Amino acid sequence: ADLGIAMNESGSDVSKEAASMILLDDNFASIVKGIEEGRLIFANLKKSIRYTLTHSTPEVIPQILYIIVPLPPMLTSIMILVIDLGFEIFAALTYAWEPAESAGGLMKLPPRKPVTMRSIAQLRARTARQPILPAHETRAAYLFRTLRAPFTKLWWQDLMEKSDGEILVDGDLLSWSYLEAGMISVVSLVVVFFVILNHHGISPKQARAMAKDTSKNYFNKDSPDYTYYGRTFTGEDQFYALNEARTGVLFSIYILQVFNLFICKARFRLPFGKFMFRNKRTFYGFTAGLLLLVFVTYIPPLNSVFNSSYKSIPLYWLIAVGFGFLLLAYATARTLVLRKSRPVKWNPTIDGLHMHPTVWSTRHTTRSIEVSA
């Protein structure tokens, strides 16, 4: 059999050893529950990866702008650690308890890797071209073969072979995380950064000129004074203005990721409805992340460690909230477009048993012939 199933209570030990699946309660209905649980785990893993990868773009692009433009560094290395190992961990773990989007919706999806004539032919061809391995392979030989594999044509052929099944990290997921939601987050944090600097009297053009002059090493406490149109910025003025702008960037990434946390819950439905709030641990997750950010921002002794500013005004966070609603509107429009361009092929609903009275028709015909005779 493609999948051998054995009973736990009434099955023999031989059947359990040979089977691929063992029903602990001897109930065939458990197979359906197991498939549904497996599909839910796969869906939640995909949502978690989709959410987690999104913050990579707003972390990388500011560093590229710092080198190429150049601009003042919007994020420090320890701030990136606060994002990756701080509030992102709390939020991403909540997907482990995420329920399905709709009751019974998972079981209406087609199999992730359907068995078709094409997939069978692919599997046979891949098996046929694999080299014959020795019966007793040493660890050194196995390690050598593993390290050598990426340099062979066969390894790349198997890797690049197109499959009919659904994979965990696909192009749609990467496009949303890196190009779509990620770039909206980048625009949000850049706007917040320059608005806060402009509040302190440093325009974007002025900030670029100061960052470009590497000989003066501006934006430090011991930096020389900088005079612009009759206004003088001391080293401390530059330092505290930059730290306050960095704090705004940190909160901007957090706020956009909170919106993204709820958006990623909706894979086939619009990102609205009660199903987005059924997982109470979601609120625990982003609340823990907020408390962490408040702790590293508004506790004065920690400012020197995390390069944050306790003078940061929450009013500037509203800019990130506005971009969060923009991200929500974009996700809604994107879902509507994908419904038209790439509709999901749902499995047909089957209510009860579909029985056809073929045997009854034969007996009825025979009985009618006997009565007529």
Side-chain angles (χ1 to χ4, degrees):
D2 293 324
L3 178 66
I5 303 174
M7 300 294 185
N8 178 50
E9 298 177 0
S10 59
S12 62
D13 294 337
V14 176
S15 63
K16 294 178 186 178
E17 290 292 335
S20 302
M21 179 188 295
I22 301 175
L23 300 179
L24 299 179
D25 55 357
D26 288 13
N27 186 0
F28 282 106
S30 301
I31 300 175
V32 180
K33 295 179 181 178
I35 294 174
E36 187 174 8
E37 185 68 22
R39 291 188 173 191
L40 179 60
I41 292 173
F42 183 87
N44 288 342
L45 274 174
K46 198 160 189 174
K47 293 175 183 177
S48 178
I49 296 173
R50 185 188 187 97
Y51 163 79
T52 306
L53 291 181
T54 305
H55 74 262
S56 301
T57 302
E59 287 178 353
V60 173
I61 297 297
Q63 309 304 324
I64 297 176
L65 295 177
Y66 166 68
I67 298 172
I68 296 178
V69 175
L71 291 176
M74 300 181 187
L75 287 172
T76 62
S77 57
I78 195 157
M79 282 183 170
I80 294 176
L81 290 178
V82 170
I83 297 171
D84 294 344
L85 304 180
F87 62 79
E88 287 292 280
I89 294 293
F90 297 117
L93 286 177
T94 60
Y95 282 106
W97 295 274
E98 187 68 25
E101 293 183 39
S102 60
L106 288 173
M107 301 306 292
K108 292 181 181 179
L109 290 172
R112 292 195 304 271
K113 293 187 177 181
V115 179
T116 61
M117 296 303 297
R118 185 175 181 272
S119 64
I120 294 173
Q122 279 185 343
L123 181 60
R124 288 177 176 174
R126 176 175 295 187
T127 305
R129 63 175 176 256
Q130 294 298 327
I132 300 176
L133 301 177
H136 302 286
E137 187 179 23
T138 62
R139 291 187 178 180
Y142 171 77
L143 181 61
F144 176 76
R145 181 169 57 85
T146 304
L147 295 176
R148 182 176 174 271
F151 300 97
T152 61
K153 179 181 178 182
L154 182 63
W155 188 85
W156 286 101
Q157 185 178 353
D158 292 341
L159 181 65
M160 303 304 294
E161 187 177 25
K162 188 177 180 181
S163 175
D164 293 335
E166 181 183 3
I167 59 177
L168 191 61
V169 181
D170 53 13
D172 179 77
L173 185 148
L174 295 176
S175 174
W176 169 262
S177 299
Y178 289 128
L179 300 179
E180 301 170 53
M183 292 307 298
I184 292 177
S185 298
V186 169
V187 175
S188 170
L189 67 89
V190 169
V191 170
V192 171
F193 182 78
F194 283 118
V195 165
I196 295 178
L197 283 183
N198 189 71
H199 171 73
H200 289 275
I202 303 175
S203 64
K205 181 180 179 180
Q206 186 179 353
R208 181 178 180 274
M210 295 172 69
K212 194 174 182 179
D213 191 357
T214 56
S215 61
K216 300 294 182 63
N217 195 19
Y218 288 114
F219 295 106
N220 290 307
K221 283 186 176 181
D222 56 352
S223 298
D225 295 347
Y226 183 82
T227 304
Y228 186 75
Y229 282 107
R231 181 174 179 179
T232 301
F233 299 91
T234 64
E236 288 192 355
D237 293 337
Q238 304 166 29
F239 178 75
Y240 289 119
L242 179 60
N243 279 357
E244 187 172 339
R246 286 170 173 169
T247 305
V249 168
L250 195 62
F251 276 92
S252 175
I253 295 176
Y254 167 77
I255 293 171
L256 265 294
Q257 282 296 85
V258 170
F259 277 89
N260 189 41
L261 180 66
F262 287 97
I263 291 173
C264 290
K265 291 172 179 282
R267 187 182 174 192
F268 302 107
R269 301 173 61 177
L270 295 178
F272 303 100
K274 295 181 179 179
F275 75 96
M276 300 181 66
F277 307 101
R278 287 203 298 260
N279 185 6
K280 295 182 180 179
R281 290 175 177 84
T282 301
F283 299 93
Y284 302 153
F286 72 73
T287 301
L290 178 61
L291 293 177
L292 175 64
L293 284 185
V294 171
F295 182 73
V296 302
T297 300
Y298 293 101
I299 305 299
L302 298 177
N303 296 145
S304 59
V305 178
F306 292 96
N307 300 114
S308 58
S309 174
Y310 63 90
K311 297 180 181 180
S312 179
I313 304 174
L315 180 65
Y316 296 111
W317 303 350
L318 295 178
I319 300 175
V321 173
F323 276 93
F325 283 106
L326 174 64
L327 182 64
L328 186 65
Y330 176 81
T332 304
R334 184 180 190 271
T335 303
L336 294 175
V337 171
L338 289 179
R339 282 183 180 179
K340 296 292 185 180
S341 60
R342 291 184 296 178
V344 180
K345 297 179 181 179
W346 301 97
N347 289 330
T349 303
I350 300 176
D351 300 323
L353 295 176
H354 288 192
M355 303 180 65
H356 303 278
T358 53
V359 177
W360 179 86
S361 299
T362 305
R363 292 178 180 177
H364 181 73
T365 304
T366 306
R367 185 177 300 173
S368 299
I369 295 174
E370 291 176 352
V371 171
S372 300

mmCIF file of all heavy atoms in Angstrom, residues 11 64 96 121 150 185 247 285 299 339 367:
data_model
loop_
_atom_site.group_PDB
_atom_site.id
_atom_site.type_symbol
_atom_site.label_atom_id
_atom_site.label_comp_id
_atom_site.label_asym_id
_atom_site.label_seq_id
_atom_site.Cartn_x
_atom_site.Cartn_y
_atom_site.Cartn_z
ATOM 1 N N GLY A 11 -4.535 -4.547 16.670
ATOM 2 C CA GLY A 11 -3.584 -4.968 15.656
ATOM 3 C C GLY A 11 -2.427 -5.757 16.239
ATOM 4 O O GLY A 11 -2.078 -5.626 17.421
ATOM 5 N N ILE A 64 21.911 49.783 3.822
ATOM 6 C CA ILE A 64 22.354 50.068 2.448
ATOM 7 C C ILE A 64 22.343 51.570 2.181
ATOM 8 O O ILE A 64 23.267 52.116 1.556
ATOM 9 C CB ILE A 64 21.458 49.315 1.442
ATOM 10 C CG1 ILE A 64 21.602 47.790 1.645
ATOM 11 C CG2 ILE A 64 21.801 49.694 0.012
ATOM 12 C CD1 ILE A 64 20.694 46.974 0.770
ATOM 13 N N ALA A 96 1.689 29.338 16.740
ATOM 14 C CA ALA A 96 1.584 27.922 17.106
ATOM 15 C C ALA A 96 0.195 27.575 17.621
ATOM 16 O O ALA A 96 -0.218 26.416 17.556
ATOM 17 C CB ALA A 96 2.639 27.570 18.156
ATOM 18 N N ALA A 121 5.879 9.896 -12.481
ATOM 19 C CA ALA A 121 6.979 9.819 -13.451
ATOM 20 C C ALA A 121 8.213 10.557 -12.942
ATOM 21 O O ALA A 121 9.348 10.100 -13.129
ATOM 22 C CB ALA A 121 6.518 10.395 -14.790
ATOM 23 N N PRO A 150 26.606 19.424 -3.678
ATOM 24 C CA PRO A 150 26.264 20.691 -4.353
ATOM 25 C C PRO A 150 27.117 21.003 -5.569
ATOM 26 O O PRO A 150 26.773 21.910 -6.338
ATOM 27 C CB PRO A 150 26.480 21.733 -3.248
ATOM 28 C CG PRO A 150 26.364 20.991 -1.973
ATOM 29 C CD PRO A 150 26.914 19.638 -2.254
ATOM 30 N N SER A 185 7.095 49.030 4.859
ATOM 31 C CA SER A 185 7.709 49.284 6.164
ATOM 32 C C SER A 185 8.926 50.194 6.029
ATOM 33 O O SER A 185 9.160 51.057 6.883
ATOM 34 C CB SER A 185 8.111 47.964 6.817
ATOM 35 O OG SER A 185 6.993 47.136 7.045
ATOM 36 N N THR A 247 14.821 55.805 17.761
ATOM 37 C CA THR A 247 13.739 55.243 18.576
ATOM 38 C C THR A 247 12.425 55.247 17.809
ATOM 39 O O THR A 247 11.648 54.285 17.880
ATOM 40 C CB THR A 247 13.596 56.052 19.879
ATOM 41 O OG1 THR A 247 14.855 56.096 20.554
ATOM 42 C CG2 THR A 247 12.559 55.430 20.785
ATOM 43 N N GLY A 285 1.365 38.247 22.829
ATOM 44 C CA GLY A 285 2.638 38.339 22.129
ATOM 45 C C GLY A 285 3.043 39.767 21.827
ATOM 46 O O GLY A 285 4.150 40.200 22.174
ATOM 47 N N ILE A 299 13.626 53.712 30.121
ATOM 48 C CA ILE A 299 14.428 53.532 31.331
ATOM 49 C C ILE A 299 15.780 54.196 31.069
ATOM 50 O O ILE A 299 16.588 53.677 30.290
ATOM 51 C CB ILE A 299 14.603 52.040 31.671
ATOM 52 C CG1 ILE A 299 13.250 51.358 31.795
ATOM 53 C CG2 ILE A 299 15.416 51.875 32.942
ATOM 54 C CD1 ILE A 299 12.353 51.910 32.877
ATOM 55 N N ARG A 339 -7.665 36.449 -6.028
ATOM 56 C CA ARG A 339 -8.866 35.629 -6.194
ATOM 57 C C ARG A 339 -9.289 35.548 -7.652
ATOM 58 O O ARG A 339 -9.802 34.517 -8.095
ATOM 59 C CB ARG A 339 -10.012 36.223 -5.354
ATOM 60 C CG ARG A 339 -9.935 35.914 -3.874
ATOM 61 C CD ARG A 339 -11.154 36.497 -3.171
ATOM 62 N NE ARG A 339 -11.127 36.228 -1.741
ATOM 63 C CZ ARG A 339 -12.073 36.640 -0.897
ATOM 64 N NH1 ARG A 339 -13.105 37.358 -1.367
ATOM 65 N NH2 ARG A 339 -11.982 36.353 0.387
ATOM 66 N N ARG A 367 -37.375 -9.312 -10.592
ATOM 67 C CA ARG A 367 -38.670 -9.587 -9.972
ATOM 68 C C ARG A 367 -39.798 -9.228 -10.920
ATOM 69 O O ARG A 367 -40.816 -9.937 -11.005
ATOM 70 C CB ARG A 367 -38.768 -8.807 -8.676
ATOM 71 C CG ARG A 367 -40.026 -9.128 -7.890
ATOM 72 C CD ARG A 367 -40.053 -8.381 -6.560
ATOM 73 N NE ARG A 367 -38.891 -8.751 -5.736
ATOM 74 C CZ ARG A 367 -38.608 -8.139 -4.585
ATOM 75 N NH1 ARG A 367 -39.384 -7.140 -4.159
ATOM 76 N NH2 ARG A 367 -37.554 -8.530 -3.894
#
